[in-house]
């Protein structure tokens, strides 16, 4: 455990680094990657009140997008995953399209604005 793990919710080094960006990584991720969540970043940096405000803002954007889809009668489905039944349980499975879209920098997709 890192010496300052109490500053990171008791996480070990691996868990602390999960949400980080490695050198050159930002250009290879879709804009919907959760590591871009501004509320999460603020929380990790210790700005609790700002993180709560930002989380509320992000959730409002998502609620408005959902209401608009419902108004238009549009269904939503994840871009990179689908639900499947396996051994009697529902699970998420890759659609197998992530790497081909990554090769284009995800510019060939119409991704929602999440933050």
């Amino acid at each position: 455990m890192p010496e300052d793990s109490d500053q990171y919710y008791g996480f070990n080094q691996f868990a602390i680094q999960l949400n980080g960006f490695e050198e050159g990584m930002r250009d290879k991720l879709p804009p919907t990657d959760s590591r871009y969540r501004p509320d999460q970043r603020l929380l990790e940096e210790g700005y609790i009140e700002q993180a709560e405000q930002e989380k509320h803002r992000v959730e409002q954007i998502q609620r408005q997008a959902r209401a608009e889809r419902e108004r238009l009668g549009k269904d939503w489905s994840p871009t990179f995953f689908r639900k499947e039944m396996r051994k009697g349980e529902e699970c998420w499975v890759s659609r197998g399209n992530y790497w081909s879209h990554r090769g284009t920098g995800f510019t060939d997709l119409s991704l929602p604005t999440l933050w």
Side-chain angles (χ1 to χ4, degrees), residues 73-99:
K74 290 186 175 181
D75 287 330
W76 175 82
S77 66
T79 303
F80 304 115
F81 297 93
R82 69 178 183 279
K83 282 186 182 179
E84 258 185 32
M85 292 298 288
R86 291 194 176 179
K87 299 182 181 179
E89 290 191 27
E90 194 173 66
C91 63
W92 289 98
V93 178
S94 172
R95 291 183 184 272
N97 60 350
Y98 178 87
W99 294 105

Side-chain angles (χ1 to χ4, degrees), residues 50-105:
Q50 294 94 326
E52 289 175 5
Q53 293 169 0
E54 188 63 19
K55 182 174 187 280
H56 178 72
R57 187 189 72 79
V58 167
E59 288 173 343
Q60 282 300 108
I61 291 170
Q62 293 170 352
R63 283 187 196 101
Q64 290 169 349
R66 181 179 183 174
E68 183 66 9
R69 282 193 308 273
E70 289 174 355
R71 186 182 73 74
L72 297 173
K74 290 186 175 181
D75 287 330
W76 175 82
S77 66
T79 303
F80 304 115
F81 297 93
R82 69 178 183 279
K83 282 186 182 179
E84 258 185 32
M85 292 298 288
R86 291 194 176 179
K87 299 182 181 179
E89 290 191 27
E90 194 173 66
C91 63
W92 289 98
V93 178
S94 172
R95 291 183 184 272
N97 60 350
Y98 178 87
W99 294 105
S100 62
H101 291 298
R102 180 176 167 166
T104 67

